[in-house]
Amino acid sequence: QPQNLTSHVAAGSSIVFAPHGAWAAVFLPGSASALVIGGLPQSVTVNPLTVSSAIRGAAISDAGTLLLATDSAPGIAVTSIAADGTRSTVAALQGFGGMAFLPGSENFLLADSVANTLALWRNGAASTLATKASGLNQPFAVAVSQDSRWAVAADRADSTLLRIDLAGTTPPVPSTCACSPSQLT
């Protein structure tokens, strides 16, 4: 049976789910508020969240940690908000290029669309996985496989999809798409 969680979702809102689906976040890109939904599917909670600047992107972990990319002069600030409400700044980007948590983990991918970098963040430290030299060209979205082995980045500039081996055993592999991707899931 469908369950109405809230009636205050603006047209054009985006929703992101945790890799295993127990958490979600709903936000209108360009707004300064979001809804954090936990306990899916049986014990649902909905909590509003307000930040000080426009939200450009979000990702949420299986533990309920929310990553928000927000406007911050001169670029984008990435903030981590734990399920208990604790906030910390994670990174500063030149441009938002996508983010995604690895399933069952607090590790995440973070792409910069201006610097053309994709990094894996583990325990607060970043390691670069791909750059312009390996095929990134204005990334706008990233996704991770359910086994945490592979990641894919989609490029805005040339419609290329870049497959990244998260185990590091093979180099990134670009695939040209005869399309204009708009998201990765």
Side-chain angles (χ1 to χ4, degrees):
Q1 290 291 329
Q3 179 183 354
N4 185 14
L5 302 179
T6 182
S7 59
H8 304 292
V9 176
S13 290
S14 295
I15 185 167
V16 293
F17 286 92
H20 291 127
W23 290 86
V26 180
F27 65 98
L28 179 63
S31 74
S33 63
L35 294 174
V36 178
I37 302 167
L40 293 169
Q42 283 89 6
S43 303
V44 178
T45 60
V46 179
N47 295 302
L49 174 73
T50 302
V51 293
S52 59
S53 57
I55 299 171
R56 297 296 163 207
I60 194 162
S61 76
D62 287 324
T65 300
L66 178 66
L67 286 180
L68 286 179
T70 58
D71 288 347
S72 175
I76 300 293
V78 179
T79 303
S80 172
I81 305 169
D84 67 5
T86 305
R87 296 179 187 211
S88 60
T89 301
V90 175
L93 304 175
Q94 294 176 43
F96 178 67
M99 61 176 77
F101 275 96
L102 278 65
S105 168
E106 292 296 290
N107 301 331
F108 59 90
L109 298 176
L110 188 56
D112 188 317
S113 64
V114 176
N116 288 310
T117 58
L118 175 65
L120 172 60
W121 287 76
R122 290 185 184 168
N123 302 318
S127 59
T128 301
L129 299 175
T131 64
K132 177 94 170 161
S134 53
L136 281 181
N137 194 1
Q138 298 176 11
F140 71 90
V142 297
V144 180
S145 64
Q146 282 295 310
D147 64 0
S148 297
R149 173 71 199 275
W150 303 100
V152 175
D155 289 342
R156 186 170 318 283
D158 58 13
S159 298
T160 297
L161 300 174
L162 187 65
R163 186 187 71 183
I164 296 104
D165 178 356
L166 295 177
T169 58
T170 60
V173 177
S175 297
T176 303
C177 179
C179 61
S180 296
S182 59
Q183 70 178 24
L184 291 174
T185 55

